[in-house]
Amino acid sequence: MIHYLLPQLIAILSCSQISLAEERSPSDESIQYFERKIRPILAQHCYSCHSNDAKVLRGGLRLDTAASVQKGGDSGPTLVAGQPDASLLIHSIQYDNDIQMPPKGKLPDAEIKELTEWVKRGAPFPKSLVEPEQKSRQINFDEGRRFWSFQPVRQQPLPEVLDGQWPKSRMDVFVLSSMERDGLDPAPPTDRVTLIRRLSFDLTGLPPLPEDVEAFVTDDSPMAFEKLVERFMASPQYGEKWARTWLDLARYTDRTESWLLQDGQAYLYRDWVVNAFNGDMPYDEFVCRQLAVDLMPGSSPKDLTALGFVGLSPTYWKELQLPCEIIKMIVADEWEERVDAVTSTFLGLTVACARCHDHKFDPISAEDYHALAGVFASSRQVGRPLISEEQYQPVREAKAEVAKLEVEQTKLKTEIAKREKGRAKELPATQQQKTADETNTGPVDTATKDNAPTPLEKLEQLTTKIKELKAVPMFDAELTNALSEESLYIERAGANPQDGTRLTYRPGPQDLPLFSRGDPNRPGEIVRRRFLTVLTPEPRLFEIGSGRLELAHSITSDAAPLAARVIVNRIWLTHFGQGLVSTPSNFGAQGSRPSHPELLDDLSARFIANGWSIKWLHREILFSATWQQSTSRSDQAKSLDPSNRWLSHMNRRRHDFEAWRDTMLSASGVLDLAPGGQSRDLDEPGNRRRTLYSTVHRRELSTTFQIHDFPDPNQHSPQRFSTTTALQGLYALNGPLLAEQSQALLSRLGREHPDDEAAQINRAYWLLSSRSPTAVEQKLALEYLSDTAGEERANRWKQYTHVLLASNEILFLD
């Protein structure tokens, strides 16, 4: 039964001396009275909206237990036991105030009389309805902390191996030990051409230049490979490659729904991620800045771009004509999405599964979930300037004034158009043209009452004023998708459900109640904001604003072992095509166990000890004999380890769409390597930028992206999955990308080696595959091109380059 607390009852309700919960043993007579008279009334008229079984709990009020009746709904207690005149329940069913329940019509007088008598008797409940709900499962957090991913990390002792000559690094010893245990031998090292090609794609997402390949192959210095690693990691393209990996996790988008206000520039976050990787920002700082850089000491307005991880979170349409109970559910879904993205990305845990109940598999309680949800309930997504608030305040005021004037400007234009249309109808045809001419050359209304300005004069004045306002210094200053310390409150816009909903942001944080079954319309006890219990034996309450900074520090301190394991596994996954943990965003009980647990712990411990440096981690992996193996697989490996869990050879990997497209643009000589800035539509004619800078639209993702397994920007995506479909084949044969790039490659070959087809064929292979064609490949190409001339020969050449671009050698990496 939806209700509001009347001001005149506040004092009475707050000092009620009779508690429903105190009547632990009602008399048999009272029970019989409730069951015979009261329960039927409540069941027929109230429980559909105000019980544990209601589809949507109205007004946060339940009437099916003593505790819930005593607690009341959104506005406080529902009744005062023994005092019907002081009880909102009775006032509402009597239809004698603004709240009239049930909304479909007043109860019969006899039923009103019975409910009044029930309250007068103290509103007795049967014992079965008095006891508060109890949890059916109690989490043993001490036992939960013994789970492998929650254990501290430490450098592990090296295992014994038989082949002491093969390992090049510590990680090789762990890998070899696992191989030998299963009777496997490592594959031979790969050739130097494949090695530089693999390295270039792994670190920059681009093929190596032919000149770099030749230089590396002929370089006999012992440090040649190490120097190449450092050079690739120092290139701007390194940050672009690894930023894309992170943006999948962050569900990055350039554009969202047209009906959602997005005053921030999304690309600023993307560019921040690129620069963070290029600068080897320590990962613990990388985490903190994305969650709470605005709360970190010494940060400047330009640093706010890091907040795009949460600032670009998906938001859902809220039709304010709907009842607030529905809007509350929509907002709660948004908070759940934030909790899921943050905990999945940084902790590899599915905390959002605990919204409706304690986690079924992991030691994460519903209280844990709501404690974190309160952090995001206290953070507002908002565009913030990259200049100080003092500098931006005049701009903010000018923009607000411009918005008002533009509305007035639109109205005036409509008014003038209507007036001219009416004048034209009244004039002869010869005068209509004259009127139109006057309209084009100046105002037609030369005088009005009291010499007031005409509509056209008003329009000119408005236009001038708008231009003046837009001339305010830094009027065009960009906003970034960031956060502010504000809490959202959802309230009914009026006394009745049909009045719709009002959303209000207020400064300061809020703690959320425990939502029964995840429903915000069924609030329970308030849960203070804090970190996960299983990761903090003595959880500390978050006291600094929303708690975002304390959350970030908890992830990189209390949960440092877990956070390190998760990011180490993600980097490993990108280098090998499979993770040490095959479920990269689930390190809980339902996730897979690590294939090499000692190796994962050893790498994670040393990763922390080396300042959380991602580039240090790259070196550890790339300098290893494990990563430098060839993809050749022995019969023994095929039989004993078909999935290559023990890494006895390198995995052959399919390029993602970005690397495939960028390779074609690079080979044809048209790739635009300009860093950063606004995105461009992927299929826009003339778009030759790296694919990283192509527009990602959250709701209208490019068809080309969709065909080629691009991740859904609506959700956290822990890894790419490749498919092979007919649409992909048709795109390769008939799509505009390969058609355009085959012509561009042909033009490049003609410029670089005019009138020398053998040299052109050789150059094409070097640009695309980092090698010369075999004798058979050279012969086939020349035979295909022979006995043709003119336009037919040009078409043959274009078809030939098209085939090279679509070949598996370009699509896969050894």
Side-chain angles (χ1 to χ4, degrees):
M1 190 170 291
I2 305 173
H3 66 280
Y4 274 76
L5 187 63
L6 300 178
Q8 62 267 33
L9 294 179
I10 293 177
I12 300 174
L13 295 179
S14 63
C15 63
S16 174
Q17 296 178 351
I18 302 177
S19 171
L20 294 174
E22 290 175 358
E23 187 175 333
R24 297 296 182 185
S25 301
S27 66
D28 291 340
E29 181 185 355
S30 297
I31 294 175
Q32 291 176 12
Y33 176 75
F34 177 85
E35 295 292 358
R36 187 163 45 88
K37 297 290 186 179
I38 305 305
R39 188 199 287 272
I41 298 174
L42 296 177
Q44 180 180 355
H45 300 290
C46 305
Y47 284 175
S48 61
C49 296
H50 303 292
S51 72
N52 194 50
D53 295 324
K55 291 183 178 180
V56 176
L57 189 70
R58 304 292 182 179
L61 174 65
R62 284 178 54 183
L63 295 174
D64 53 349
T65 72
S68 60
V69 171
Q70 181 183 15
K71 178 182 175 183
D74 293 340
S75 302
T78 307
L79 55 83
V80 181
Q83 302 180 41
D85 292 340
S87 298
L88 280 176
L89 172 66
I90 303 305
H91 283 283
S92 298
I93 63 175
Q94 289 174 341
Y95 273 48
D96 62 0
N97 59 35
D98 293 337
I99 309 303
Q100 298 178 348
M101 290 293 155
K104 293 182 179 180
K106 189 176 181 181
L107 294 174
D109 290 342
E111 293 184 352
I112 294 175
K113 182 179 179 181
E114 292 293 356
L115 288 172
T116 303
E117 177 62 23
W118 175 62
V119 174
K120 188 176 182 180
R121 293 189 181 195
F125 271 76
K127 185 176 181 181
S128 61
L129 298 181
V130 173
E131 298 298 329
E133 294 180 276
Q134 298 294 324
K135 291 187 178 181
S136 59
R137 169 179 175 258
Q138 294 294 324
I139 297 177
N140 187 331
F141 290 105
D142 290 333
E143 179 66 27
R145 293 185 184 102
R146 298 190 181 99
F147 191 68
W148 74 268
S149 63
F150 303 145
Q151 296 297 302
V153 291
R154 62 180 185 277
Q155 189 168 317
Q156 299 290 310
L158 292 177
E160 296 288 336
V161 294
L162 299 176
D163 184 2
Q165 299 300 311
W166 183 77
K168 290 185 176 182
S169 66
R170 286 181 59 87
M171 63 169 272
D172 289 331
V173 180
F174 292 102
V175 173
L176 182 59
S177 174
S178 297
M179 273 193 257
E180 291 179 343
R181 186 182 61 239
D182 275 45
L184 297 168
D185 295 317
T190 193
D191 62 89
R192 289 177 76 85
V193 171
T194 302
L195 189 63
I196 184 175
R197 189 171 176 83
R198 183 187 299 171
L199 179 69
S200 183
F201 276 109
D202 266 21
L203 289 183
T204 70
L206 295 170
L209 298 175
E211 297 77 17
D212 290 337
V213 176
E214 292 180 307
F216 177 65
V217 169
T218 58
D219 189 346
D220 295 330
S221 64
M223 298 298 292
F225 182 71
E226 285 76 4
K227 290 179 181 178
L228 197 61
V229 169
E230 297 303 325
R231 185 180 135 205
F232 282 152
M233 285 200 298
S235 72
Q237 287 71 50
Y238 160 78
E240 293 173 337
K241 152 71 179 180
W242 285 89
R244 183 61 261 176
T245 301
W246 185 260
L247 295 176
D248 286 3
L249 306 172
R251 64 267 191 270
Y252 173 78
T253 184
D254 291 286
R255 296 180 191 165
T256 186
E257 298 85 344
S258 59
W259 37 262
L260 283 175
L261 175 64
Q262 185 177 348
D263 51 3
Q265 298 293 329
Y267 80 88
L268 295 170
Y269 172 68
R270 178 244 292 148
D271 290 352
W272 179 87
V273 175
V274 171
N275 293 331
F277 275 105
N278 277 331
D280 196 23
M281 179 180 290
Y283 181 70
D284 56 345
E285 180 182 347
F286 185 68
V287 172
C288 291
R289 285 182 173 271
Q290 291 182 83
L291 294 179
V293 71
D294 55 325
L295 306 177
M296 294 173 66
S299 62
S300 69
K302 291 184 178 180
D303 296 323
L304 296 174
T305 54
L307 295 173
F309 186 96
V310 180
L312 282 167
S313 297
T315 52
Y316 312 133
W317 175 250
K318 304 171 187 67
E319 175 51 67
L320 298 184
Q321 297 303 312
L322 294 172
C324 69
E325 289 82 4
I326 296 176
I327 303 303
K328 283 182 179 180
M329 186 67 77
I330 294 172
V331 171
D333 289 345
E334 291 181 340
W335 295 336
E336 178 186 338
E337 194 282 334
R338 315 293 180 263
V339 172
D340 179 64
V342 168
T343 57
S344 295
T345 299
F346 299 116
L347 296 173
L349 294 176
T350 56
V351 175
C353 291
R355 170 180 167 180
C356 301
H357 45 67
D358 290 348
H359 202 291
K360 295 295 186 182
F361 307 102
D362 297 333
I364 301 169
S365 67
E367 288 84 358
D368 285 331
Y369 167 82
H370 288 87
L372 293 185
V375 173
F376 301 104
S378 303
S379 305
R380 180 183 185 181
Q381 291 173 247
V382 63
R384 294 180 63 176
L386 303 182
I387 55 178
S388 69
E389 285 296 329
E390 291 75 16
Q391 291 175 301
Y392 193 71
Q393 186 57 33
V395 177
R396 194 187 307 280
E397 294 172 356
K399 286 188 173 183
E401 185 64 21
V402 166
K404 293 179 182 178
L405 294 179
E406 286 179 341
V407 171
E408 191 174 343
Q409 187 183 52
T410 301
K411 290 180 180 178
L412 271 174
K413 288 180 178 179
T414 302
E415 178 187 343
I416 291 171
K418 287 181 178 179
R419 292 182 62 181
E420 295 307 319
K421 187 176 181 180
R423 286 166 57 91
K425 288 182 179 179
E426 297 174 359
L427 295 174
T430 55
Q431 291 294 317
Q432 289 183 20
Q433 181 60 44
K434 180 180 178 182
T435 300
D437 294 340
E438 290 176 345
T439 301
N440 292 330
T441 57
V444 296
D445 295 326
T446 56
T448 60
K449 186 178 180 180
D450 300 326
N451 293 322
T454 68
L456 279 174
E457 290 172 339
K458 290 181 180 179
L459 182 61
E460 289 179 352
Q461 293 171 1
L462 280 175
T463 303
T464 300
K465 181 63 175 176
I466 290 173
K467 287 181 179 180
E468 292 174 353
L469 288 169
K470 289 186 175 181
V472 170
M474 293 184 270
F475 185 86
D476 295 324
E478 289 184 311
L479 301 179
T480 190
N481 297 93
L483 301 170
S484 62
E485 295 286 90
E486 297 176 82
S487 297
L488 175 60
Y489 294 88
I490 306 102
E491 302 164 322
R492 184 166 293 122
N496 299 305
Q498 58 267 29
D499 293 331
T501 304
R502 179 173 60 249
L503 301 181
T504 306
Y505 283 98
R506 300 171 191 163
Q510 64 173 321
D511 291 314
L512 295 179
L514 184 70
F515 299 154
S516 175
R517 300 185 183 180
D519 186 348
N521 298 294
R522 297 175 175 175
E525 294 184 0
I526 296 296
V527 181
R528 296 292 303 277
R529 288 163 292 120
R530 56 168 176 77
F531 197 46
L532 301 177
T533 305
V534 72
L535 297 173
T536 47
E538 297 181 2
R540 299 178 298 276
L541 299 180
F542 293 166
E543 302 287 358
I544 304 174
S546 63
R548 286 184 286 116
L549 183 59
E550 291 154 297
L551 171 59
H553 286 159
S554 295
I555 291 172
T556 56
S557 57
D558 295 328
L562 177 58
R565 286 186 179 102
V566 170
I567 188 60
V568 166
N569 188 64
R570 295 195 194 282
I571 302 297
W572 184 282
L573 166 65
T574 307
H575 279 303
F576 286 95
Q578 64 184 37
L580 294 170
V581 177
S582 62
T583 51
S585 288
N586 191 349
F587 276 48
Q590 290 296 98
S592 67
R593 302 301 184 266
S595 57
H596 300 72
E598 295 82 7
L599 170 57
L600 179 58
D601 269 21
D602 190 76
L603 274 177
S604 300
R606 294 191 294 124
F607 172 64
I608 295 174
N610 282 274
W612 300 77
S613 168
I614 298 292
K615 288 188 176 180
W616 173 88
L617 185 56
H618 287 312
R619 296 185 189 98
E620 286 294 300
I621 293 173
L622 299 173
F623 294 159
S624 70
T626 304
W627 184 85
Q628 295 181 27
Q629 291 179 103
S630 72
T631 56
S632 61
R633 185 170 53 154
S634 66
D635 292 339
Q636 190 180 37
K638 293 177 184 178
S639 174
L640 298 177
D641 187 22
S643 65
N644 198 26
R645 179 177 175 84
W646 307 122
L647 301 169
S648 61
H649 56 276
M650 191 60 173
N651 295 307
R652 195 171 192 230
R653 290 172 279 150
R654 180 174 170 175
H655 287 307
D656 56 28
F657 175 73
E658 293 92 326
W660 187 49
R661 177 180 178 274
D662 292 348
T663 293
M664 287 186 267
L665 294 173
S666 176
S668 60
V670 300
L671 180 63
D672 180 0
L673 290 175
Q678 295 276 6
S679 66
R680 294 182 63 179
D681 288 343
L682 176 64
D683 300 314
E684 177 185 330
N687 180 9
R688 296 170 175 174
R689 301 201 67 194
R690 287 202 71 173
T691 313
L692 172 72
Y693 300 116
S694 294
T695 300
V696 177
H697 198 303
R698 179 161 279 156
R699 297 296 182 190
E700 299 174 13
L701 189 64
S702 159
T703 302
T704 302
F705 273 144
Q706 293 182 54
I707 291 172
H708 294 98
D709 307 311
F710 192 84
D712 182 358
N714 284 290
Q715 61 188 16
H716 165 90
S717 299
Q719 63 187 110
R720 296 283 182 98
F721 294 98
S722 297
T723 62
T724 302
T725 67
L727 283 175
Q728 293 170 1
L730 290 170
Y731 183 88
L733 290 174
N734 306 306
L737 174 62
L738 276 81
E740 293 172 2
Q741 295 316 308
S742 61
Q743 181 61 57
L745 176 58
L746 180 59
S747 299
R748 178 179 185 175
L749 299 176
R751 290 193 308 271
E752 294 183 357
H753 298 282
D755 305 320
D756 189 344
E757 290 186 335
Q760 291 175 7
I761 294 170
N762 184 68
R763 181 62 170 167
Y765 270 87
W766 270 103
L767 289 170
L768 288 167
S769 305
S770 304
R771 65 176 179 86
S772 297
T774 65
V776 173
E777 289 168 335
Q778 184 87 355
K779 180 182 177 183
L780 286 173
L782 291 173
E783 288 178 351
Y784 178 71
L785 298 168
S786 64
D787 300 328
T788 58
E791 185 176 348
E792 182 182 356
R793 193 173 188 84
N795 287 335
R796 285 282 184 96
W797 259 108
K798 186 175 181 181
Q799 291 169 358
Y800 174 68
T801 54
H802 192 144
V803 168
L804 291 180
L805 292 174
S807 66
N808 273 353
E809 190 170 3
I810 311 305
L811 189 57
F812 287 85
L813 177 66
D814 277 330

